[in-house]
Amino acid sequence: MVTTLRALKRNSYGGEFIQEALHTVYETLKPTHCYIAYFDKNHHKATSLAYSIDDRFSNTVFTYLINNSLCEKMISSGKPYSFSNDISQTYPFNQIITSHLLQHYLGIPIFSRRGEIVGVIGCLFEHPYFYSELQHGEWCQVLGDILGSDVEYLALLSEQKKLLCEMEECQQEAKLGNFQVDIATGSVYWSKEIYRIFQCDTECFTINETTTNKYIHPDDRKRVVELRRDMLDSASVSYNVIYRIVLADGKNKYLRENCHILRDINGIATLIKGIVQDITEFYYLSNKLDQASDKLSVTYNAVSEGVWEYNLETQALLTSPKFWDILGINETHVNNIYDWVMMIHKDDRSAVIDCFSNLRNGDANSIDVEFRLQSGSHEKNCRWFNCKGNVIESSGINYYSRIVGVLIDITDSVVAEQQLTLAKTVFDNTSECIVITDKDNNIISVNKAFEKVTGYSHADIIGENPRVLASGYHNADFYKQMWHSLETTGSWQGQLKNRRSDGVVYPEEMTINKIEDDHNVINYVGVFHDISSRKQTEQKLKRLANNDTLTGLMNRRRFIEKVEKYIAQINDIAPNNSATSVCSLLFIDLDDFKIFNDLYGHDFGDKVLQKVANIIRTTVCEHSVICRYGGDEYAVLIQEQDVNYAQRIANQLVNIISQPIKCNEIDINLTVSIGISSYPESGTTHQALLKNADYAMYEQKWLGRNGVCVYDQQLQHEYIRKLILRDKLKHAINAQKIIVHYQPIIDNKTGRVCKFEALARWYDDHEGFISPGIFIPIAERYGLIGMLGQLVFEKACADLDRIHRSGFTDVVFSINHSVKEFSQHNQEYIFETINNFNLPYSAIMIEITESTALDDGKNIIDILSAFRSRGIAISLDDFGTGYSSLAAIIDIKPDIIKIDRSFIVDIEHSKESQMLVSLVIDLSRKLKVEVVAEGVETQAQLDILSEMACHYIQGFYYSPAVAIDEAITILQVRNQ
């Protein structure tokens, strides 16, 4: 059955498909009555699309409400609904089926593509019927699904047809038709009502400009035709015109034509849409009314007030046209006395009601009341009215029935009075000081703010000249310019200083305006306010904006502005003044300042910064510009002095600051690195001078700190050289041209190789071999160290995997890590790389210098802890060269410490070196930390270390760093 339904859908659609489906339902279920209906969107109403009785189709169309019907239960269940009872009495359209004894109902839902129920297949049976889900469930579901789109489509057509019928009825009732003209094709559409208005046949009449223009009255034809053409040729988008037409029987009709013109992007008219309305009856009626009211209008319009008459008994109101104009409302909006009362403002309503009540009760024979009209939420814009009236007729003693009066709009006078009151209130209470003088500049009025600020009372100052406030700070030219501005422009605005009554001078900001009447001066009005607090705030903000709050020195932004301005002035100086066309710039950075913050705290560090700032102030010359550039950096602009002078000043600073400085009773030893740039040798712009001085400072740090470096041609060459190496290094890293060599670490007890230290090597095609001492600092400085470290680590892991697969599974690789790698690069790649090569974590040792952790604090300690938790060992390199070697052991908790080669090289001849190495080995043994002596090159050195029981030996005595193949050969020789 399902296959039959789907085949049916393929062969028909629309109304034909609906009827075929209804026939299929009859053949399958044999209902007496069967119909297909669609639901509206809200499931309030059902309307039939097809209806059959005993498989005979009927033209009957019916509609019923879904609420409380059997369809409602089907909709709520979402599936076929079956019901057995007296169907003829309960069904919504029982007037059609009362002649049949129906016993059973089956409702099959129709679904849209979205799964929503959009209609019903209603089946009514005269015989008992049992619905089986098993037998017909799938069939009903498929039927409901395939009917959905057609039912929705036919429902839409049905609704459109209804709307068209209703529109035609409305047009006929309103005597209004619509039309459309396609200018490009010349085609014209008229609705049926326009044919009725023109009384022409829809079949025989040809619509075009010629045939329709013939209907227009000869006296109107030229006007209408020209109007239409003018509208099309202009940029207008609509027009409205009233004209007459002459019908075939000779009768005239008045028509109103309203059109909207559609235009393309070039403004050319393409389509006209419009309406035509027959206004003949309205026109004749309006004409008669106009003639009848002309006389009354002339009389009423002769007076400026609105005239009214009110009958208290009948509540009838007669008014003149101006009455409604004054009120500004539509007469049709007022139908009864209640409407009148509700239009009055709620605050004035009771007063108006009381007045008319007194008239009705005979307590008064006239009214005079002021009120506002209700204006919703816009109470500030209410208009005021005065209503006056007198009794002209009474129906008995003390009872009046007719009142005649006038209505006046008094909004302007009320508002003027309110404005005067408000102006006085504002004048007395504004925070601005106001003084008004007469034309001779004698004070005639002041407000309370004036009295408060100046100290002069109203009585003391009236009649005086404002010069009594003069402070003496301004000369005669100042006042002359002020009066010139007043006389020529009518106003003056500016700042001046005046004197209070107690003699205190204060700054004020004042505006003075000249008030004229017919070009004659009548007053001067001055408005001012005391700006003492603002001036103080401005000074404070200026200090905050331009100075460093900690040291009081100029801040970075202001310093850059000063340098930029000074360089611009130098560039503008003529060549004959070249002796003064020089300047120098110092860039000062405290060495290892972070250590003091870490040891003593930031408050201590701030005091150190203040002391250094004072040293710089007292050392540099008087005309120098000093700033705290940021953090522990300072900058000094030395004006009109060359680089030699700047170098002397810089060396003085280095010497003074290197002396012990007492801070909080603690003597500290500071050093500074200073870079110097000079104009014009180091640059001719402020950007160049700042950049090159900064670079020179970093070059000094590179050279060992605690000194002065001058940016010169050689330094520039070195700078360019490093930039070239930077670019080459970046290319080498990306091209994986960095290779890794391995130096063996020998177990001194067994003579076997237990570890290798992985060391990066770089061979450039043009430069040859480049020392790690050159390219690693470049990588650190220019942010390449992370990429370099990851490349070395991955290559080392690959080579270690090769060694392990060669049978030497106990060999460990020690891989160096720079402090910059920890701060600039994510270390997660270490775990990923080890896992990728299936290496044990214990086969990797991360080697860092003892200053690494101390330089970057807790962050590196946490990372090292993460390494150690996985089983990766930590080696502390260059032990003994840092500021606090013991602190490094405690904080880092290394597995191995490496004694720096600087102690090993002198161990044969230096008792101090022997003592230090011995102490380190003894200490490490007690701390259970292994020791590696690096840089061992002679048998004598090895013998001394062996006597001290040094466990591991590394150095050229055994082997330099070699390629992986040679490293495997070494393993094969020593370990097998």
Side-chain angles (χ1 to χ4, degrees), residues 362-375:
D363 296 333
N365 58 10
S366 65
I367 61 169
D368 189 345
V369 62
E370 294 179 357
F371 62 90
R372 291 163 291 176
L373 287 187
Q374 189 70 269
S375 62

Side-chain angles (χ1 to χ4, degrees), residues 73 259 277 351 461 511 523 677 707 737:
K73 296 179 179 180
C259 294
Q277 186 177 16
I461 204 69
T511 300
N523 293 110
S677 63
K737 290 185 177 180

Side-chain angles (χ1 to χ4, degrees), residues 581-583 678-684 689:
S581 302
V582 294
C583 69
S678 61
Y679 178 95
E681 293 85 357
S682 304
T684 56
L689 289 181

Side-chain angles (χ1 to χ4, degrees), residues 611 660-668:
K611 286 185 177 293
I661 298 175
K662 187 177 288 293
C663 186
N664 287 0
E665 302 305 321
I666 298 173
D667 286 336
I668 61 171

Side-chain angles (χ1 to χ4, degrees), residues 787-896:
M787 298 166 56
L788 176 61
Q790 184 168 349
L791 176 62
V792 170
F793 192 87
E794 290 172 351
K795 287 191 173 187
C797 285
D799 289 341
L800 181 59
D801 177 51
R802 180 179 169 187
I803 287 177
H804 280 195
R805 284 189 285 105
S806 298
F808 303 101
T809 56
D810 58 343
V811 172
V812 174
F813 268 16
S814 178
I815 305 173
N816 287 283
H817 247 48
S818 163
V819 62
K820 298 296 184 182
E821 281 189 77
F822 288 100
S823 60
Q824 297 177 6
H825 208 62
N826 192 326
Q827 302 302 302
E828 287 297 323
Y829 77 88
I830 290 178
F831 305 125
E832 295 174 2
T833 305
I834 294 172
N835 293 332
N836 287 342
F837 289 100
N838 294 317
L839 294 170
Y841 287 112
S842 58
I844 299 296
M845 177 182 293
I846 299 298
E847 186 169 316
I848 63 172
T849 61
E850 66 171 272
S851 61
T852 295
L854 296 175
D855 283 347
D856 207 29
K858 187 176 183 303
N859 181 47
I860 290 180
I861 299 299
D862 291 343
I863 295 173
L864 295 178
S865 297
F867 289 163
R868 189 177 289 105
S869 66
R870 300 280 186 103
I872 298 174
I874 305 300
S875 174
L876 190 62
D877 194 13
D878 297 342
F879 185 76
T881 61
Y883 287 95
S884 182
S885 298
L886 293 178
I889 294 179
I890 293 170
D891 290 338
I892 301 173
K893 300 180 180 65
D895 300 283
I896 290 180

Side-chain angles (χ1 to χ4, degrees), residues 95-325:
Q95 69 275 12
I96 300 175
I97 60 175
T98 49
S99 60
H100 299 269
L101 297 175
L102 300 173
Q103 298 184 25
H104 194 88
Y105 163 83
L106 174 64
I108 302 171
I110 299 172
F111 296 95
S112 71
R113 293 180 179 176
R114 300 178 300 277
E116 300 170 349
I117 297 178
V118 295
V120 63
I121 306 169
C123 302
L124 305 172
F125 302 87
E126 287 185 337
H127 53 80
Y129 175 78
F130 174 74
Y131 170 71
S132 170
E133 176 72 23
L134 181 62
Q135 184 178 359
H136 291 113
E138 182 184 5
W139 181 84
C140 291
Q141 179 67 39
V142 173
L143 180 62
D145 288 340
I146 65 177
L147 272 172
S149 58
D150 289 84
V151 166
E152 284 189 299
Y153 171 70
L154 293 173
L156 181 62
L157 288 181
S158 178
E159 292 299 321
Q160 288 178 339
K161 189 178 295 184
K162 285 182 182 179
L163 288 173
L164 286 173
C165 291
E166 291 173 1
M167 186 182 73
E168 288 185 4
E169 291 175 0
C170 291
Q171 286 192 351
Q172 188 170 358
E173 182 69 24
K175 295 183 179 181
L176 182 148
N178 64 293
F179 68 90
Q180 181 172 303
V181 180
D182 189 324
I183 298 175
T185 63
S187 60
V188 183
Y189 162 78
W190 275 9
S191 68
K192 292 182 180 179
E193 184 57 26
I194 298 184
Y195 283 102
R196 281 193 288 269
I197 291 172
F198 278 77
Q199 295 182 5
C200 57
D201 194 314
T202 58
E203 299 295 334
C204 302
F205 184 71
T206 301
I207 309 170
N208 55 49
E209 185 178 11
T210 303
T211 57
T212 55
N213 285 348
K214 287 182 179 180
Y215 275 89
I216 301 176
H217 194 286
D219 295 343
D220 298 340
R221 188 176 297 148
K222 182 178 179 182
R223 173 176 61 87
V224 174
V225 170
E226 288 180 353
L227 174 65
R228 288 173 177 169
R229 290 177 180 171
D230 290 344
M231 291 299 101
L232 290 175
D233 294 338
S234 69
S236 300
V237 294
S238 63
Y239 66 86
N240 198 329
V241 62
I242 295 175
Y243 58 89
R244 293 167 291 175
I245 61 172
V246 182
L247 302 178
D249 58 5
K251 292 182 179 179
N252 290 345
K253 279 189 177 181
Y254 283 85
L255 304 183
R256 179 174 64 86
E257 181 180 314
N258 190 305
C259 294
H260 185 74
I261 305 170
L262 300 180
R263 301 179 181 277
D264 61 18
I265 59 175
N266 297 317
I268 299 174
T270 59
L271 191 69
I272 302 175
K273 293 183 177 181
I275 60 170
V276 173
Q277 186 177 16
D278 183 353
I279 59 171
T280 305
E281 293 181 6
F282 172 80
Y283 183 85
Y284 284 124
L285 178 61
S286 177
N287 190 41
K288 290 181 180 179
L289 290 175
D290 287 343
Q291 293 174 2
S293 64
D294 278 347
K295 293 181 181 179
L296 182 61
S297 296
V298 170
T299 302
Y300 277 143
N301 289 331
V303 295
S304 59
E305 297 87 358
V307 181
W308 57 272
E309 178 183 324
Y310 181 63
N311 191 311
L312 290 170
E313 293 180 350
T314 65
Q315 296 184 356
L317 176 68
L318 298 176
T319 65
S320 67
K322 191 162 290 187
F323 180 90
W324 301 103
D325 291 340

